[in-house]
Amino acid sequence: MSLDKSLGYMLGRSLKVFKNHMNIELKSKNIDLSLEQFIILNMLDSHCDFIQQDLANQLQKDKSLIVRQVDGLLKNRYVVRVENENDKRKKTLILTKSGFEKLNEIRQIGDEVTVKLLSGVTEDELNVFRHVLTKIWENGGLNEDQTGC
């Protein structure tokens, strides 16, 4: 199989386009959250018990980066730390009511950005795209509905 551009390049560039459009929309609506914080809120809404180290592992990011992102979410009262029942040294991160409301607001913005970016893409093309992404995930050892819990 010959590719004009590498898969990594194409996926990376696509993610960059999405991220840029999301950040522009968030800023235009005076939402002071990063796309990374949105991803963390999404993860916390998955009904899994996450500590900061779990987030770092799932996102494959340095723990210090995650600490800064979570600190911003704590400051805005979108998440709280709750003592872990099994290990008192660990603090589980829990989405608050205002965090859930903010998450839903940002999800709506994400939907709007997605519609804009998929303009001119047919339903058949989108289905093929989803199918190819699912195959990539499966070939990489990730199930489509794997939550990481």
Side-chain angles (χ1 to χ4, degrees), residues 3-15:
L3 297 174
D4 290 338
K5 296 198 179 354
S6 75
L7 177 64
Y9 171 81
M10 293 174 66
L11 290 172
R13 188 159 181 176
S14 298
L15 180 59

Side-chain angles (χ1 to χ4, degrees), residues 41-54:
L41 292 177
N42 259 312
M43 291 176 69
L44 296 178
D45 188 40
S46 69
H47 307 292
C48 299
D49 289 338
F50 282 108
I51 60 171
Q52 287 180 178
Q53 185 62 54
D54 296 331

Side-chain angles (χ1 to χ4, degrees), residues 33-142:
L33 286 180
S34 67
L35 185 59
E36 290 78 11
Q37 288 173 314
F38 168 58
I39 292 168
I40 290 171
L41 292 177
N42 259 312
M43 291 176 69
L44 296 178
D45 188 40
S46 69
H47 307 292
C48 299
D49 289 338
F50 282 108
I51 60 171
Q52 287 180 178
Q53 185 62 54
D54 296 331
L55 294 173
N57 293 343
Q58 286 287 320
L59 297 171
Q60 297 180 341
K61 301 276 186 180
D62 185 75
K63 189 176 177 185
S64 62
L65 288 170
I66 298 300
V67 167
R68 283 194 296 275
Q69 298 293 340
V70 169
D71 284 349
L73 295 171
L74 288 163
K75 180 181 170 192
N76 288 319
R77 297 190 173 132
Y78 296 143
V79 298
V80 292
R81 286 189 180 109
V82 177
E83 195 171 271
N84 187 294
E85 293 177 12
N86 301 326
D87 186 342
K88 302 297 182 201
R89 296 169 297 169
K90 295 180 179 180
K91 304 287 187 217
T92 302
L93 297 166
I94 305 292
L95 196 60
T96 64
K97 183 178 185 239
S98 64
F100 183 73
E101 290 168 354
K102 187 58 69 176
L103 174 60
N104 284 333
E105 181 181 354
I106 298 171
R107 281 177 175 161
Q108 184 176 348
I109 293 167
D111 290 346
E112 293 167 6
V113 168
T114 299
V115 166
K116 180 172 134 181
L117 293 177
L118 291 176
S119 175
V121 176
T122 68
E123 192 68 32
D124 287 341
E125 290 169 329
L126 186 56
N127 287 334
V128 168
F129 177 69
R130 287 182 174 135
H131 178 75
V132 169
L133 287 177
T134 301
K135 284 289 187 190
I136 292 170
W137 298 341
E138 289 170 354
N139 291 340
L142 180 68

